Amino acid sequence: MVVTEVFDKLKELQEVLAEKYSLEQKIEESPKRLSSQDELLARMKKEYIETNAKYEEVRANVEHLRADLAEAEALRESGEKGMDNITTHREYEALDKQISEAKAREDGIRKDLQKEEKALAELDERMHSNEAIIKSQEEELSKEKNSLEDEVSSYKAKLDELARREDEITPGIDQEIVYKFQRIIKRNSEGIVAVRNGVCTGCHMILPAQFANEVHDGDKILFCPYCSRILFHQDVESDEVETYFTDEDTGSLSDFEFDDEDEEDQLDGEDTEDEDSDEEKPLSYEE
């Protein structure tokens, strides 16, 4: 298979893989869409349980106060009835004290009872409100889960179709190239890009001149030494103007200021070391 045919297949494969990985990510992240609703429902149920426990506590207290009130009322009424049978002043004073104390206790209990009954009514109303909200939330969550399951099922059906297309495209392409290409697509969503005016359109880095010429020749599969994408040459129209760098971007030697000759010598030495260093060789695959 000639290199141009490989390029055409890779471009087609790129579309398939990009959609495939996008769908896989959606499937992976789909449970997170309902996590906030699940957490909200769990908090509401916990609050309902706590409210119910408080309700039972207040209800028991109300029952106890009602019993105390009935006892105080009975004691007061007994004293009031006894007033008709007293014969001495001392008996009157003792009975009057009993009635006063019973009445004071009765008033205190009734005040506490009214307060607790009001709290009980508020708790009861809150519980009924929470029950309605929880039921509504459960129904909504159930619908969302069913909808999400249908959505995920459609994603999986699309993945099956994409897998068939992938199997139709990859025969004839070296498996190592396919493996590297898949990894590039996962990372960048674009695995094969054009070289225009000696610049990789994937990472917008200027390529070495000799390497750019090899891409132009199109005799082998070449990977960008900077972003690892597969490269192919693309001509630029004569009336199309492209500017990748300006003087402000690149700078010049006039931007540097030297305090003494030693710094100039040091810069010259660094330039010499750069010239002696080996240039990184781009990855390539020959058909």
Side-chain angles (χ1 to χ4, degrees):
M1 183 181 295
V2 297
V3 175
T4 54
E5 293 178 351
V6 175
F7 285 156
D8 292 338
K9 280 182 170 288
L10 289 176
K11 291 175 184 178
E12 186 178 357
L13 181 61
Q14 176 173 261
E15 296 179 2
V16 172
L17 292 178
E19 186 176 1
K20 171 185 173 182
Y21 297 143
S22 175
L23 291 174
E24 288 178 344
Q25 185 176 4
K26 288 180 179 179
I27 292 174
E28 182 180 354
E29 295 178 351
S30 59
K32 299 178 182 178
R33 288 170 50 181
L34 301 178
S35 61
S36 59
Q37 290 176 274
D38 281 326
E39 291 174 0
L40 175 60
L41 183 59
R43 287 198 302 269
M44 292 174 63
K45 288 183 175 180
K46 181 181 178 182
E47 181 181 349
Y48 177 83
I49 293 173
E50 293 173 350
T51 303
N52 184 67
K54 183 65 177 176
Y55 175 86
E56 292 299 328
E57 179 184 342
V58 174
R59 187 177 67 83
N61 194 27
V62 167
E63 293 297 326
H64 179 71
L65 288 171
R66 285 173 178 171
D68 288 347
L69 180 60
E71 181 181 343
E73 287 176 342
L75 186 61
R76 174 182 55 78
E77 291 173 356
S78 174
E80 290 174 346
K81 290 179 180 180
M83 281 290 189
D84 297 333
N85 301 321
I86 60 173
T87 57
T88 66
H89 183 69
R90 178 174 293 181
E91 287 178 351
Y92 173 82
E93 288 181 346
L95 195 57
D96 183 64
K97 181 180 180 182
Q98 174 185 329
I99 294 172
S100 298
E101 290 177 350
K103 191 175 186 310
R105 181 166 179 260
E106 181 183 344
D107 291 341
I109 293 173
R110 183 173 285 108
K111 184 177 180 181
D112 292 341
L113 180 59
Q114 290 174 348
K115 181 179 178 181
E116 290 298 295
E117 285 178 337
K118 181 180 179 182
L120 187 67
E122 291 176 351
L123 289 170
D124 184 66
E125 182 179 355
R126 188 190 306 175
M127 287 177 59
H128 281 87
S129 176
N130 287 349
E131 285 176 355
I133 295 174
I134 288 172
K135 183 179 179 181
S136 175
Q137 183 71 13
E138 286 177 335
E139 292 175 352
E140 182 179 351
L141 186 58
S142 178
K143 291 179 182 179
E144 287 289 336
K145 286 182 178 179
N146 292 334
S147 176
L148 186 59
E149 288 176 0
D150 294 340
E151 192 173 321
V152 170
S153 296
S154 68
Y155 289 159
K156 290 181 178 179
K158 290 181 181 179
L159 285 176
D160 292 338
E161 175 61 26
L162 291 171
R164 287 192 290 270
R165 288 179 59 189
E166 186 177 353
D167 291 338
E168 294 173 357
I169 298 171
T170 52
I173 307 177
D174 186 274
Q175 288 302 307
E176 184 177 354
I177 296 294
V178 174
Y179 173 72
K180 291 179 179 179
F181 194 67
Q182 289 171 338
R183 294 184 63 185
I184 295 170
I185 297 295
K186 277 188 177 181
R187 185 173 64 251
N188 298 309
S189 76
E190 192 177 28
I192 179 169
V193 295
V195 173
R196 308 178 71 186
N197 286 342
V199 176
C200 170
T201 58
C203 60
H204 306 290
M205 295 294 290
I206 299 176
L207 301 172
Q210 182 178 352
F211 179 65
N213 289 334
E214 292 180 6
V215 175
H216 182 276
D217 294 338
D219 296 330
K220 52 188 175 182
I221 303 294
L222 294 170
F223 294 81
C224 176
Y226 305 109
C227 66
S228 300
R229 293 179 174 92
I230 293 175
L231 303 174
F232 67 92
H233 175 76
Q234 186 177 74
D235 291 326
V236 179
E237 298 295 334
S238 59
D239 58 347
E240 183 178 358
V241 179
E242 295 192 2
T243 304
Y244 292 95
F245 297 98
T246 64
D247 292 339
E248 293 180 357
D249 295 327
T250 56
S252 64
L253 286 177
S254 61
D255 296 328
F256 295 92
E257 296 181 0
F258 298 99
D259 294 334
D260 50 42
E261 295 181 357
D262 292 339
E263 291 187 359
E264 294 181 357
D265 294 338
Q266 183 178 359
L267 181 59
D268 292 338
E270 290 177 354
D271 293 340
T272 304
E273 291 177 3
D274 291 339
E275 293 175 357
D276 294 338
S277 61
D278 293 332
E279 181 179 355
E280 180 182 0
K281 295 181 178 180
L283 297 174
S284 68
Y285 168 74
E286 298 185 7
E287 288 289 333

